[in-house]
Amino acid sequence: NHSVIDVRYGYQGRLLANAEFLNDPESQHFSLYGKRLLSGVKQPITEDLLNLAGVRLPVGELFVIDGKTVLWLNETDSVGNLFPEGFSTDYLIISNNSIGNEDELKPYLHAKEIIIDKSNSYYTQRALQESAKENGLSIHQVSTNGYFSSLWRK
């Protein structure tokens, strides 16, 4: 399964993806080409111009766009004590079974939106969805709801 984030802002884009997707031009074209054109991003993925303020972490990436923080957890290394208690992010994206149960999700309960992508196993997706519901969290499950889209400026 691919793990893909395509950030578009204005007429620029930045693709964040796993190596499998980056090495699959057919999937890139099928999944992104039309959406990018509709949003005004015309440059090829290899020539992305959008600079994201952020940092690569042992467990994924943390970046900021238009004042909103996005934490993408895409590594299965322990994410346990990496962030201080009460750490808050606007968007938490969970990939590759990086969080598999409620205990691992607890440090991120302050996220405004949780996105579970299709690279997670069915079991992990179900466990995270149940945990989020129990905690009253907003959740978007890509395998059920389709790709996630958000306007950065409203």
Side-chain angles (χ1 to χ4, degrees), residues 2-83:
H2 299 304
S3 190
V4 179
I5 300 173
D6 190 33
V7 180
R8 294 175 226 128
Y9 189 82
Y11 298 113
Q12 297 181 343
R14 170 67 62 204
L15 179 71
L16 305 171
N18 62 3
E20 181 182 358
F21 187 79
L22 292 174
N23 293 319
D24 187 351
E26 188 175 310
S27 288
Q28 292 172 17
H29 186 80
F30 177 79
S31 300
L32 301 177
Y33 184 72
K35 293 174 186 79
R36 280 183 153 227
L37 283 179
L38 286 172
S39 68
V41 176
K42 294 182 177 145
Q43 75 268 12
I45 290 168
T46 56
E47 298 174 15
D48 276 345
L49 301 172
L50 182 62
N51 289 319
L52 296 174
V55 62
R56 176 85 178 120
L57 303 167
V59 296
E61 299 197 32
L62 177 65
F63 61 92
V64 178
I65 183 165
D66 199 30
K68 295 188 175 28
T69 57
V70 179
L71 176 58
W72 180 27
L73 300 177
N74 61 6
E75 300 291 337
T76 55
D77 291 343
S78 175
V79 296
N81 297 322
L82 188 60
F83 299 98

Side-chain angles (χ1 to χ4, degrees), residues 71 73 78-89 92 94 98-112 114 128 131 135 137:
L71 176 58
L73 300 177
S78 175
V79 296
N81 297 322
L82 188 60
F83 299 98
E85 189 172 326
F87 170 79
S88 181
T89 185
L92 172 64
I94 302 172
S98 58
I99 292 182
N101 59 53
E102 184 172 356
D103 289 338
E104 293 174 352
L105 183 61
K106 282 183 182 175
Y108 308 102
L109 293 179
H110 300 287
K112 295 177 183 155
I114 297 175
L128 292 173
S131 179
N135 289 290
L137 299 172

